[in-house]
Amino acid sequence: MKLMITAKGDKLESTVDERYGRGECFIIYDTDSGEFEAIRNPFLNNQGGVGVSTAQFSVEKKVDAIISGSYGPNALEILRAAQLELYKAQPGTVKENIELFKEGKLERF
Amino acid sequence: MSKELVIISGKGGTGKTTLTSSLAYVMKDKIIVDADADAANMYILTSPKLKHKELFKGNPKAVIDVNKCVNCDLCRKLCRFDAIHINPDGNYYVDEVKCDSCELCKIACPAEAITMKEVYSGEWYESETPFGLMVHAKLYPGAENSGNLVTMVKHRAHVISEEQDIPYILVDGSPGIGCPVISTISGANFVVVVSEPTPAGLHDLERVKRLCDSFKVKSGVVVNKYDLNEEKTRQIEEFAKKEGMEVLGRIPFDECVPKAIVNLQIPYEACESVKRAVDEIYARVMEKL
């Protein structure tokens, strides 16, 4: 399954970014292969509409679940319509959150 | 990680600055962020000493290369913002203030005469105030506050707070529930909504509460000028309780407040009634943070 985690850097050791739409980096992690891809948030410096753009991005990347701190109202509408699983990240690294997810210990948003 | 306390109002003119400036006065060990760049009152009230300044970019604006333009008039007809005009020489040009950066004209232009140009929309600063460091911004005429700018000033405050080990960030948010407010609430640890005892005060509190719920951020309400309509104040507090918001306190109407602000004094410092109310609110807020 494909996970998307918002992070403050491009590594699995990077800290999770609390913000979804304006998260600094997106980590796309494949739970089956353990491989990941890091993408700098291309919408970060847009004046507005970043929640919607990031949600669109998540849908296009065909991720199954997202781990982030909080989701804004405009992003939520799209993510819920696309039926993506949303999780509330715990303070810590991307890796720690992936582990918590695998153990079923992350709370659904 | 420092904790972020955000003050918003939903409706303008409820007394957000009265409360924020007064909290800035009493709160210890914090960085102030003025995220209300459209009405940067914290700047006026705290007379900051500028330490560091940077420019920030707004959305890119369309420009027309008159040498390539074939005068087909398509861009002018398509523009939804009435931003494209013809000058007395017969050349097409873009009114930057009206341009909304949608790029429709650029896509439509058959002569590829339109490009998007980066523009600066203002400056942001780090400043020293009598109440601690402040990160704030100034917009150029015609520019408006944005989620991007709010994210930038808040981010800068977090960087400083980590470097200097400052535990709290006090954010003065803007009114409404739009993009800048969404960015202000994102990442907050607790949100204080300043309301007033009027139908609009209650209505806008409801809207802002829904926004906080979307982020699952805990919030509380302060009714300013509560004694102007005690029945409405009760309604606001009942709404808050029903919706799981904390009732943090009431601030009475006092003619001393506008007088203090006119004289560039913080209401907490100048008005006994505000001081009493804010001391209580401050104690409750710190329990929640």
Side-chain angles (χ1 to χ4, degrees):
Chain A
M1 129 180 236
K2 242 173 153 183
L3 284 179
M4 170 172 159
I5 307 106
T6 52
K8 289 187 172 159
D10 56 7
K11 298 184 182 65
L12 293 181
E13 290 72 28
S14 305
T15 313
V16 159
D17 199 324
E18 283 285 307
R19 299 158 305 173
Y20 173 69
R22 287 191 198 272
E24 285 175 37
C25 226
F26 304 142
I27 309 268
I28 314 268
Y29 180 87
D30 189 325
T31 54
D32 301 322
S33 65
E35 286 175 2
F36 76 99
E37 175 191 13
I39 301 156
R40 288 249 144 229
N41 181 347
F43 319 111
L44 199 56
N45 294 320
N46 291 6
Q47 297 296 96
V50 290
V52 171
S53 302
T54 304
Q56 177 76 29
F57 175 87
S58 303
V59 173
E60 280 166 7
K61 279 278 169 189
K62 295 196 166 62
V63 301
D64 303 291
I66 300 173
I67 304 173
S68 188
S70 60
Y71 306 81
N74 300 330
L76 264 185
E77 203 175 316
I78 295 167
L79 297 173
R80 293 247 151 93
Q83 298 181 323
L84 297 185
E85 290 175 26
L86 307 180
Y87 293 90
K88 170 110 186 106
Q90 292 299 310
T93 65
V94 171
K95 206 172 182 175
E96 286 160 1
N97 272 277
I98 292 173
E99 289 310 315
L100 287 170
F101 170 81
K102 285 182 180 165
E103 292 162 19
K105 286 183 183 161
L106 280 186
E107 197 188 317
R108 283 291 274 267
F109 191 86
Chain B
M1 235 346 231
S2 51
K3 298 211 164 155
E4 208 180 293
L5 174 66
V6 163
I7 319 292
I8 51 171
S9 63
K11 179 186 175 299
T14 58
K16 183 168 59 63
T17 303
T18 298
L19 183 64
T20 318
S21 63
S22 295
L23 283 175
Y25 190 93
V26 283
M27 202 171 173
K28 293 183 179 59
D29 306 322
K30 86 287 177 187
I31 296 176
I32 306 165
V33 173
D34 192 349
D36 188 5
D38 286 315
N41 296 334
M42 291 297 286
Y43 171 82
I44 300 169
L45 276 180
T46 57
S47 22
K49 236 177 33 215
L50 302 185
K51 278 178 61 189
H52 178 77
K53 170 177 113 171
E54 267 179 55
L55 296 172
F56 64 85
K57 283 183 188 138
N59 275 342
K61 305 287 182 182
V63 262
I64 300 173
D65 181 345
V66 292
N67 296 320
K68 288 187 185 167
C69 175
V70 292
N71 297 346
C72 71
D73 205 39
L74 190 58
C75 57
R76 197 183 62 84
K77 273 195 268 187
L78 285 174
C79 181
R80 298 286 181 94
F81 302 94
D82 190 28
I84 299 182
H85 301 278
I86 307 166
N87 70 19
D89 301 332
N91 291 328
Y92 283 73
Y93 71 96
V94 178
D95 178 343
E96 270 190 18
V97 175
K98 284 189 170 175
C99 175
D100 199 60
S101 313
C102 74
E103 300 194 17
L104 180 63
C105 56
K106 181 188 159 192
I107 296 164
C109 179
E112 292 182 8
I114 302 179
T115 51
M116 302 302 290
K117 178 185 75 167
E118 300 261 9
V119 290
Y120 289 103
S121 60
E123 293 160 5
W124 66 266
Y125 314 92
E126 279 168 42
S127 297
E128 196 76 65
T129 81
F131 321 105
L133 278 174
M134 179 160 88
V135 187
H136 55 114
K138 187 171 88 180
L139 297 162
Y140 294 148
E144 57 182 349
N145 196 4
S146 69
N148 188 29
L149 176 55
V150 170
T151 306
M152 199 146 65
V153 286
K154 285 212 317 183
H155 177 73
R156 191 58 209 144
H158 277 281
V159 170
I160 302 170
S161 75
E162 273 183 28
E163 280 168 7
Q164 305 187 12
D165 208 13
I166 299 172
Y168 300 109
I169 295 175
L170 174 66
V171 186
D172 190 22
S174 42
I177 54 166
C179 188
V181 184
I182 292 175
S183 287
T184 307
I185 296 177
S186 179
N189 293 87
F190 191 76
V191 173
V192 176
V193 186
V194 185
S195 190
E196 60 170 31
T198 62
L202 177 57
H203 171 262
D204 291 359
L205 171 67
E206 290 170 9
R207 300 202 308 164
V208 107
K209 174 65 173 70
R210 281 206 295 276
L211 192 58
C212 293
D213 284 349
S214 161
F215 282 106
K216 299 201 176 170
V217 176
K218 290 203 172 66
S219 56
V221 67
V222 169
V223 185
N224 187 29
K225 302 173 269 186
Y226 83 90
D227 44 354
L228 292 182
N229 185 340
E230 297 204 23
E231 175 53 29
K232 237 347 177 258
T233 295
R234 269 191 294 277
Q235 279 179 27
I236 288 173
E237 291 176 347
E238 272 164 29
F239 167 82
K241 280 181 199 151
K242 195 177 85 211
E243 295 289 323
M245 289 177 96
E246 296 289 329
V247 175
L248 297 164
R250 301 169 164 187
I251 303 173
F253 174 76
D254 192 336
E255 285 182 10
C256 167
V257 173
K259 281 184 194 147
I261 290 174
V262 167
N263 293 318
L264 299 184
Q265 283 179 299
I266 308 270
Y268 183 93
E269 199 183 359
C271 312
E272 187 52 35
S273 62
V274 174
K275 181 181 183 307
R276 271 199 304 270
V278 171
D279 279 337
E280 258 181 52
I281 294 163
Y282 176 59
R284 291 210 181 101
V285 166
M286 293 311 281
E287 276 173 33
K288 298 291 155 203
L289 258 186

